[in-house]
Amino acid sequence: MFIIGALIIAVAATAVSAKTLVGYTAMPAYVKALTVLLILLAWFAPVIISSIRNYNLVGADTFRWISNIGYFLFGTAFILLILILFRDLLWFAFYEVAKLFKSPLSATFNPSAVKPLAYANLGTVVLAFVVAFYALYEGIKTPAVKEIVLTSPKIKQEYTLVQLSDLHINRAVPVSRLERLVKKVNALDPDVILLTGDIGDDKVEAVLPQLEALHDLYAPHGIYAVFGNHEFYNGLMPWQFKFGDLGWTALFNYGVPLKRTELYIGGIPDVSIARGSPFFKIDLDKTVDNSSEEQYKILLSHTPNFQKEMITKDQFDLVLAGHTHGGQIFPFHLLAKPANDNFLAGLYDVNGSQMYVSRGTGYWGPPLRLFAPSEITVIKLLPQK
């Protein structure tokens, strides 16, 4: 269903973009054909890239270039479509108002006039690429640190937790990017590192160089992780074994108390997978089996919308989630928020617990972020005065 929907959207978006940019202009036929072909390739880039990856048609270095360029064009095509629709909405509104008041501007800004449309199209394409290159910079730069300070009467001393989420490591992600990320995280001197799913977005054997960079992540009280939907898509068992090989503790309806601390870390499977499978059901009761009432309990959940599975209102003191990417590329914010029970990014009070939803440390698909910057989340747990 997802693939069929994506193809329908790609065809519709190609038709709208191509018709607007070349359908009403006096361009030579070959320029029109090349423009339509480029738009078509941009919108179908994910399908082309997935096919190349699944059938291993090219080497790793070549694939990296194809993937990054293809997804950049795909993201640019999306931004271009949004700008075209927004521009035309304002344009037609201005034109109708000018006609209503019989203003001479109505003739100048007539949307059917070929010359103004040609200038508007050129300006819109240039603006789309400017915005796309800015979003590319935001997408591939080393994530900034986002610090959250929380207090609790259960906390006896200060703790520094680092949350990483939605790295989406695939064979197109440069090893150097992950090395910079690891160096930045270790410099924060975390007591615990917590990973809230979608760390992997490829077959394990295809990303061994990237995963090798993560071997250097270190926290004295351990590294704990839960699985996101993309680990399920790419082989849950291989990813589970790899997490163990990296020295991480994978939590699957399970929790552990941290030695010499008052902290308890629990984790559940991805909600979207659990709700559609008889094998991966969420069991929050089981997740807190090893806990005691005086412990500060932290739950790792890839997706934030798991409230239907809550047994009681105060099972956990803090919930950490991701999945939404904060929308990643505006205006996807408007879709991501209602799709996740109106959780998008930031700190929320939910069922007597605090929940923090990360915007993610990596990106999915296009290496672009627009008005949804990536983050390394630092959570300072302090005693309540």
Side-chain angles (χ1 to χ4, degrees):
M1 290 297 293
F2 176 80
I3 293 173
I4 292 172
L7 290 174
I8 292 172
I9 291 171
V11 170
T14 299
V16 171
S17 301
K19 185 68 173 177
T20 304
L21 293 178
V22 305
Y24 308 101
T25 66
M27 290 180 182
Y30 75 93
V31 176
K32 288 185 177 182
L34 287 175
T35 302
V36 172
L37 179 61
L38 182 60
I39 294 171
L40 191 67
L41 287 174
W43 275 104
F44 281 87
V47 176
I48 297 169
I49 293 166
S50 295
S51 299
I52 293 172
R53 186 182 81 168
N54 292 340
Y55 293 102
N56 292 312
L57 298 179
V58 297
D61 291 337
T62 304
F63 177 79
R64 187 174 295 116
W65 280 100
I66 292 173
S67 178
N68 288 332
I69 292 172
Y71 271 120
F72 173 75
L73 291 175
F74 174 71
T76 304
F78 171 75
I79 292 169
L80 175 62
L81 177 64
I82 296 301
L83 289 175
I84 286 173
L85 295 175
F86 183 67
R87 177 202 73 185
D88 287 356
L89 179 64
L90 292 180
W91 194 346
F92 276 93
F94 182 84
Y95 174 64
E96 291 299 329
V97 170
K99 276 203 316 181
L100 182 64
F101 289 96
K102 298 180 180 179
S103 169
L105 291 174
S106 62
T108 306
F109 289 96
N110 188 334
S112 62
V114 173
K115 193 171 181 180
L117 179 60
Y119 283 122
N121 283 342
L122 178 61
T124 305
V125 170
V126 170
L127 180 59
F129 273 96
V130 170
V131 173
F133 275 109
Y134 167 74
L136 176 65
Y137 164 74
E138 287 290 318
I140 65 176
K141 72 177 185 180
T142 303
V145 173
K146 175 73 178 293
E147 184 173 302
I148 307 296
V149 178
L150 302 175
T151 63
S152 171
K154 295 181 180 180
I155 297 297
K156 308 305 179 187
Q157 65 183 68
E158 180 178 331
Y159 295 99
T160 299
L161 316 180
V162 167
Q163 179 192 5
L164 302 177
S165 190
D166 299 277
L167 283 169
H168 286 277
I169 296 171
N170 60 67
R171 65 194 77 181
V173 174
V175 174
S176 57
R177 184 177 193 273
L178 295 172
E179 289 173 340
R180 291 193 301 271
L181 174 67
V182 168
K183 186 176 180 180
K184 191 165 185 176
V185 169
N186 287 344
L188 296 168
D189 196 22
D191 295 299
V192 187
I193 297 175
L194 306 169
L195 300 107
T196 46
D198 279 4
I199 305 306
D201 195 2
D202 208 328
K203 303 301 181 185
V204 169
E205 62 272 17
V207 291
L208 294 178
Q210 286 86 346
L211 294 174
E212 185 61 31
L214 299 183
H215 262 296
D216 293 331
L217 275 176
Y218 174 74
H221 289 290
I223 300 174
Y224 300 85
V226 291
F227 301 108
N229 49 309
H230 283 266
E231 280 93 11
F232 281 87
Y233 300 155
N234 289 284
L236 178 63
M237 290 304 292
W239 275 107
Q240 187 170 3
F241 285 129
K242 192 59 189 178
F243 282 6
D245 182 53
L246 289 167
W248 304 351
T249 300
L251 302 173
F252 200 97
N253 286 329
Y254 184 69
V256 292
L258 303 193
K259 293 179 181 178
R260 300 183 300 281
T261 77
E262 54 269 33
L263 303 181
Y264 181 91
I265 311 292
I268 56 175
D270 175 68
V271 172
S272 60
I273 298 295
R275 288 178 182 167
S277 167
F279 306 108
F280 302 115
K281 294 302 181 185
I282 291 172
D283 190 338
L284 286 169
D285 257 354
K286 188 177 177 182
T287 306
V288 295
D289 268 352
N290 299 321
S291 69
S292 59
E293 190 174 335
E294 64 272 10
Q295 287 172 324
Y296 185 89
K297 293 184 283 294
I298 301 169
L299 176 69
L300 308 183
S301 170
H302 176 59
T303 43
N305 55 332
F306 67 95
Q307 279 63 49
K308 293 176 185 176
E309 285 78 16
M310 292 292 284
I311 308 300
T312 63
K313 291 187 175 181
D314 55 356
Q315 280 181 308
F316 294 91
D317 300 281
L318 175 63
V319 178
L320 299 180
H323 184 64
T324 69
H325 294 218
Q328 187 165 321
I329 303 174
F330 187 83
F332 260 120
H333 302 53
L334 305 178
L335 299 177
K337 189 172 182 178
N340 290 278
D341 289 351
N342 287 320
F343 299 118
L344 184 65
L347 191 64
Y348 299 88
D349 289 317
V350 182
N351 291 334
S353 303
Q354 290 181 299
M355 178 167 71
Y356 184 78
V357 182
S358 168
R359 290 189 299 256
T361 314
Y363 52 80
W364 178 61
L368 312 178
R369 280 186 170 269
L370 187 61
F371 307 139
S374 56
E375 65 180 71
I376 298 168
T377 313
V378 174
I379 301 163
K380 295 285 188 181
L381 290 182
L382 306 178
Q384 194 171 71
K385 295 181 180 179

